[in-house]
Amino acid sequence: MWRWPVKALRGETVRSAVVDRNGMAGDRVLEVFKAGSDDKLWGGSHPRMMEWEAAWPAQCGCADGTGDAPVVYEPSGAAWAADDPDLPAVMAADLGEDAIELRPHGRSYGRLLVVFEASLKRLSEQMGREIEVERFRPNVLCESDADAFAEAGFEPGSRIRLGDNDFTVQKPCERCILPSWDPYGRQRDKDLHKHIVKELDNRFGIYVRTEAKATIAVGDQISG
């Protein structure tokens, strides 16, 4: 399981998380804009952003996060509170921008991005190399008995159960170019992007959502 508190930045692994109709707590709560505009900065245009990291707050992959704002880490490892007034200038200089702003990510409802292990394994086999799951920025990686890529055909509104919690399928995830970059934004794999577009109809993973408050954890059973 993963949480991505600031869009385009690297995220954190989690052992458990609270999920409700707004999505996973602490997930994709902020995004980066050019100051004074509605122009968003994202990994496709600024792969250097993936050298930065965000947590809700720092967890080291073991304990549940608490608090109401992310912690942001420079590529050097220096930590910042996301609402520190000096952070935008430091980040802007590193990204080669004049000025940036971190703003709340606007969305009318939340969703959970689920990737299936069988599909990731088959994709790696097709490409002839390991494809890192973090390229797809999922919230959950599931192991199930479904065939590879079967999730692309799941009917919207159908039920998936994670642990003791019911979720409904919203839709497949249509991919941008971001998975073609390695998780640190250092090298682009254009062949992977072309393969996803041509062979997978530009879809990988599915969005699910719940109306009720739920807690999910690594090791939960999946059924549907």
Side-chain angles (χ1 to χ4, degrees):
M1 289 174 50
W2 293 263
R3 171 164 35 223
W4 311 88
V6 181
K7 293 195 70 176
L9 275 57
R10 292 202 322 279
E12 60 180 339
T13 58
V14 294
R15 299 294 302 177
S16 66
V18 174
V19 183
D20 60 19
R21 72 181 312 274
N22 294 315
M24 179 183 285
D27 185 58
R28 296 171 171 91
V29 295
L30 296 175
E31 53 190 331
V32 183
F33 290 80
K34 291 187 177 182
S37 79
D38 291 328
D39 294 337
K40 299 177 182 180
L41 274 62
W42 66 297
S45 62
H46 292 71
R48 174 69 175 176
M49 294 177 75
M50 288 179 272
E51 294 272 4
W52 289 70
E53 185 176 351
W56 183 263
Q59 285 195 39
C60 303
C62 24
D64 287 332
T66 59
D68 58 4
V71 174
V72 176
Y73 296 92
E74 293 183 47
S76 66
W80 295 80
D83 55 1
D84 190 313
D86 293 328
L87 173 60
V90 173
M91 183 178 287
D94 187 68
L95 299 179
E97 289 288 333
D98 291 333
I100 62 99
E101 298 172 355
L102 278 75
R103 302 180 198 160
H105 173 45
R107 57 186 178 184
S108 57
Y109 59 84
R111 54 195 182 187
L112 205 68
L113 178 55
V114 180
V115 164
F116 286 76
E117 188 174 48
S119 300
L120 184 68
K121 181 179 179 180
R122 181 67 58 81
L123 178 61
S124 296
E125 292 170 350
Q126 291 173 343
M127 298 305 299
R129 54 189 177 275
E130 181 181 358
I131 303 300
E132 307 96 322
V133 64
E134 291 88 354
R135 288 175 179 262
F136 300 98
R137 297 179 170 253
N139 296 116
V140 178
L141 176 66
C142 286
E143 180 182 359
S144 78
D145 57 5
D147 292 336
F149 310 127
E151 63 275 13
F154 290 176
E155 287 293 327
S158 58
R159 189 191 72 156
I160 286 183
R161 192 164 178 82
L162 297 177
D164 297 325
N165 311 291
D166 288 328
F167 291 79
T168 54
V169 174
Q170 184 186 21
K171 64 178 182 177
C173 179
E174 296 184 13
R175 309 307 319 201
C176 63
I177 66 170
L178 203 58
S180 66
W181 286 95
D182 74 82
Y184 289 83
R186 296 169 183 166
Q187 185 173 359
R188 190 175 177 200
D189 186 344
K190 293 183 179 181
D191 288 340
L192 175 60
H193 178 63
K194 292 176 181 177
H195 182 89
I196 293 171
V197 171
K198 182 179 179 180
E199 303 298 333
L200 303 181
D201 196 27
N202 202 31
R203 299 177 177 183
F204 195 81
I206 57 172
Y207 289 117
V208 303
R209 62 177 304 192
T210 181
E211 293 293 335
K213 188 175 182 178
T215 298
I216 59 175
V218 172
D220 279 351
Q221 295 295 308
I222 178 173
S223 61

